[in-house]
Amino acid sequence: MKTGVLADQQIKKMIVEGGISASLPILNEQIQPASLDLRLSDVAYRVRASFLPGRSSTVSERLDELTMHEVSLTGGAVLEKGCVYVVPLMERLHLPKGMTAAASAKSSIGRLDLMTRVITDHGIEFDRVPEGYDGPLYAELCPQSFSVLAQPGQLLNQVIFRQGKTILSDEKLLEVHQRTPIVSGDPVISDGLGFSVDLKPTSGDLVGYRAKRHTGVVDLSKLAHYDPAEYWEEVHTSNGRIILDPGAFYILVSREAIAIPPDCAAEMAPYLAMVGEFRVHYAGFFDPGFGYDAAGGSGSRGVLEVRCHEAPFVLEHGQIVGRLVYEKMDQVPEQLYGVELASNYQGQGLKLSKHFKS
């Protein structure tokens, strides 16, 4: 059996053969180069607490115990900041033996600090679908910084499919870099590609944004609509250093420009305990072609979604803040990120989610 992450043409074949099904026909725009976007259904369950069902329970059984009330999403409904909701997804999986799946928030959702994780029946991990899983999918939603208006059919999560062991060793990753550079400058390769934070921009002193604590609702259907100043405070520095406040959410940018070759995908490791009291990047997948060629061969910077934890933390320019784990594709996709696709973040620098005006 081949090993690797499935490409778009293989995902289409899974849909035709029934490995992926849905309550409404799956749309072409849901299929990305190496992932499938997942759609919210028409009801959200407000629950007392986040949960994993565990090996002996289905999600539905746990919802019977934990649901406080149901919220219809038809016509739009506000999901309030600090509350936990579970929404059944339209898609369900019938994975063959040897295949697993992994989910993450879509990039725009991560940049809104809308924590969303996929759970499965009998699941013991968030965002991980075990080998041979046959059943429904659910999204757990917990808006952290902004309350949001959600509707059925919206795409908050994405899922990739893996056959066998897909992660590239450091030696293989170095070979990829030597063949097709994956990062500007010298690569820091150790259990993936290390990346650092940019706090010395080439012009000006704007290095990031911090979410305001008291804002209006963000309607997920409205693009390039909101004034950033109503939701974000600009973060400036002249000395290459900022102090992260506990509990605050920041949008920063990587110092390095990153590229994902057509025969690779990548996942951002969400947290490195040894680098400090903060978590980086909730939205984890990078499709084949990100930062590759279409951005002039110079790569695209990685936007960093950063939440500081218990103690204030001094972040320095060039400090390693996380790593990008590269995986091999089973096949090269028919379409690459940024090529003939409406890819919002190709060639990006420091950028808020697509809901905000430029």
Side-chain angles (χ1 to χ4, degrees):
M1 183 186 76
K2 282 189 170 184
T3 60
V5 176
L6 267 58
D8 49 8
Q9 63 269 25
Q10 295 171 292
I11 293 172
K12 292 175 185 175
K13 185 179 178 186
M14 281 185 69
I15 295 168
V16 170
E17 295 178 348
I20 306 166
S21 61
S23 56
L24 291 175
I26 295 172
L27 308 173
N28 277 336
E29 52 262 37
Q30 289 178 248
I31 302 171
Q32 305 303 324
S35 60
L36 176 73
D37 293 342
L38 303 171
R39 296 169 294 180
L40 300 180
S41 69
D42 58 1
V43 63
Y45 299 94
R46 167 78 167 92
V47 293
R48 295 204 303 265
S50 172
F51 68 89
L52 283 165
R55 297 188 193 279
S56 61
S57 300
T58 65
V59 176
S60 179
E61 288 167 347
R62 297 306 305 277
L63 285 174
D64 288 342
E65 303 165 10
L66 295 169
T67 295
M68 298 168 67
H69 61 263
E70 295 183 19
V71 180
S72 172
L73 298 184
T74 302
V78 174
L79 305 182
E80 294 186 30
K81 181 172 77 168
C83 298
V84 183
Y85 302 86
V86 173
V87 182
L89 296 170
M90 293 187 187
E91 290 72 29
R92 61 183 293 137
L93 300 181
H94 317 266
L95 298 183
K97 186 178 179 181
M99 184 181 293
T100 62
S104 83
K106 289 179 63 63
S107 185
S108 290
I109 301 306
R111 294 181 202 203
L112 282 177
D113 199 19
L114 170 50
M115 188 169 73
T116 174
R117 304 182 289 191
V118 166
I119 49 180
T120 63
D121 286 346
H122 311 292
I124 57 171
E125 292 181 286
F126 290 110
D127 283 337
R128 293 296 182 262
V129 184
E131 177 184 352
Y133 179 75
D134 184 357
L137 302 173
Y138 299 80
E140 179 194 272
L141 310 179
C142 184
Q144 303 278 292
S145 289
F146 315 120
S147 296
V148 299
L149 183 73
Q151 300 179 44
Q154 288 180 325
L155 310 171
L156 275 59
N157 305 78
Q158 56 192 344
V159 62
I160 67 169
F161 301 93
R162 294 173 169 138
Q163 294 187 126
K165 294 185 177 180
T166 62
I167 293 174
L168 294 177
S169 67
D170 288 347
E171 292 76 18
K172 290 289 186 185
L173 186 55
L174 186 57
E175 289 177 13
V176 170
H177 176 73
Q178 290 168 344
R179 183 177 77 239
T180 306
I182 59 173
V183 67
S184 56
D186 295 327
V188 177
I189 294 177
S190 177
D191 293 327
L193 176 69
F195 58 90
S196 62
V197 64
D198 184 9
L199 297 179
K200 290 184 178 179
T202 52
S203 62
D205 61 359
L206 175 67
V207 296
Y209 299 91
R210 179 172 55 206
K212 290 186 173 182
R213 293 193 181 277
H214 307 288
T215 69
V217 171
V218 175
D219 184 338
L220 298 178
S221 69
K222 293 182 176 178
L223 307 184
H225 177 79
Y226 295 100
D227 178 358
E230 295 181 5
Y231 293 82
W232 300 93
E233 298 170 356
E234 293 186 348
V235 179
H236 297 264
T237 183
S238 57
N239 62 2
R241 178 185 303 130
I242 61 173
I243 297 177
L244 302 177
D245 290 326
F249 178 75
Y250 298 82
I251 297 291
L252 305 173
V253 70
S254 72
R255 185 178 59 156
E256 301 82 5
I258 297 161
I260 313 295
D263 58 351
C264 293
E267 183 174 15
M268 189 83 85
Y271 180 61
L272 281 175
M274 69 285 293
V275 301
E277 291 294 323
F278 57 91
R279 173 189 166 116
V280 173
H281 218 284
Y282 292 83
F285 296 146
F286 287 71
D287 273 309
F290 177 87
Y292 178 85
D293 277 353
S298 59
S300 293
R301 308 249 236 127
V303 166
L304 311 177
E305 298 139 17
V306 176
R307 178 173 294 285
C308 186
H309 292 313
E310 290 83 1
F313 186 80
V314 178
L315 199 58
E316 305 270 358
H317 174 72
Q319 182 172 344
I320 297 289
V321 292
R323 69 183 189 276
L324 201 57
V325 178
Y326 279 69
E327 304 180 61
K328 64 177 179 177
M329 295 293 297
D330 185 31
Q331 298 178 15
V332 172
E334 290 177 345
Q335 285 192 303
L336 297 177
Y337 187 94
V339 182
E340 299 175 5
L341 288 174
S343 304
N344 289 292
Y345 304 116
Q346 186 73 302
Q348 71 182 352
L350 178 64
K351 191 173 182 180
L352 296 172
S353 82
K354 60 188 179 184
H355 306 91
F356 297 96
K357 296 174 183 175
S358 298

